[in-house]
Amino acid sequence: MRFAEKIDDEDLRQLYFYWLSKKTSRFPPPRAAIEPGEIRFLLSSLFIIEVDHEEQRFRYRLAGSDVEAMVQAKLHGRWLDEALRSPLREFFDEGFCIAAFDRKVHYRKITLHLAGRPYIRYSRVLLPLSNTGERIDHLLGCIKLDGEIHARNPGVVEQHEITVSDVATLELDAYEMPEEIKRLGSGGSPEQ
């Protein structure tokens, strides 16, 4: 099964193909190639993370309103470890590390349940960006909610369950391009 076929949300799949279309002679594409205005329909659920390799930390450079509503925190300009409390932070950190340091496209379907609160179901994709084609400088991410988010008490953040119902990864390889990229590079449609 191709990676794109694992992504069951149409908006996330379109973001994945948008990211593929931004490839240059280097892969993955650089941060400068991503124009949020070109994917305006996703702005509320989009985020861009800066990767600090020395400290192995992640800083939000852009965070849409749906992303901030989900974590109930202002994220723009903040480090992940400052914006979210443990253990939710470790859960988010794990996916970011896979994308940034293992150089993989990362997709998850997730259910969060905080004690005494309704479930929050969402899907997330993380897409690496690199100015050099080697080291990952940023992550382009998007979440799509499946249902309503309800306010929660920050004091119960650590009392939760996390269920991951689906995970898919695609390892980046600068020498062998995935089928989706080859098809886009030859003028084919991503839906073919």
Side-chain angles (χ1 to χ4, degrees):
M1 176 180 278
R2 291 176 17 222
F3 180 80
E5 293 169 341
K6 294 287 286 182
I7 303 174
D8 63 1
D9 181 272
E10 183 60 30
D11 286 345
L12 293 183
R13 194 177 308 114
Q14 289 305 312
L15 179 63
Y16 173 65
F17 286 122
Y18 169 80
W19 173 78
L20 289 176
S21 76
K22 293 300 182 173
K23 75 177 186 70
T24 62
S25 58
R26 295 190 301 255
F27 185 71
R31 162 64 186 97
I34 304 303
E35 295 290 337
E38 294 177 345
I39 43 179
R40 191 177 317 271
F41 71 102
L42 287 175
L43 283 181
S44 65
S45 54
L46 207 63
F47 58 93
I48 295 177
I49 300 279
E50 176 187 356
V51 180
D52 182 328
H53 283 264
E54 289 182 24
E55 298 287 327
Q56 292 199 348
R57 293 176 81 194
F58 304 97
R59 185 191 311 239
Y60 285 90
R61 289 303 184 189
L62 174 103
S65 57
D66 289 350
V67 180
E68 291 186 335
M70 189 183 84
V71 299
Q72 297 204 339
K74 291 290 183 192
L75 298 174
H76 180 79
R78 294 184 68 191
W79 294 98
L80 174 69
D81 55 8
E82 296 171 347
L84 297 181
R85 295 180 57 195
S86 176
L88 284 180
R89 186 189 75 233
E90 283 85 359
F91 177 72
F92 280 82
D93 201 44
E94 176 193 4
F96 293 167
C97 284
I98 290 169
F101 306 130
D102 296 344
R103 293 175 49 86
K104 293 183 179 181
V105 176
H106 192 255
Y107 168 75
R108 275 188 178 164
K109 286 182 71 168
I110 303 160
T111 302
L112 295 177
H113 183 260
L114 303 178
R117 302 290 178 179
Y119 282 93
I120 301 170
R121 291 185 177 94
Y122 68 99
S123 298
R124 181 190 71 198
V125 67
L126 297 172
L127 306 165
L129 302 171
S130 175
N131 291 327
T132 64
E134 297 294 325
R135 189 160 122 159
I136 304 304
D137 309 301
H138 292 83
L139 300 174
L140 173 63
C142 188
I143 61 165
K144 292 303 287 189
L145 300 172
D146 179 15
E148 188 177 343
I149 298 178
H150 296 271
R152 64 179 186 248
N153 180 342
V156 298
V157 166
E158 295 181 341
Q159 300 174 23
H160 71 281
E161 295 175 14
I162 300 172
T163 305
V164 178
S165 55
D166 200 5
V167 177
T169 59
L170 170 68
E171 194 158 353
L172 301 180
D173 187 328
Y175 305 104
E176 292 182 20
M177 294 189 297
E179 286 301 313
E180 289 92 346
I181 300 172
K182 290 179 186 174
R183 191 169 24 266
L184 287 172
S186 65
S189 166
E191 275 74 34
Q192 289 179 337

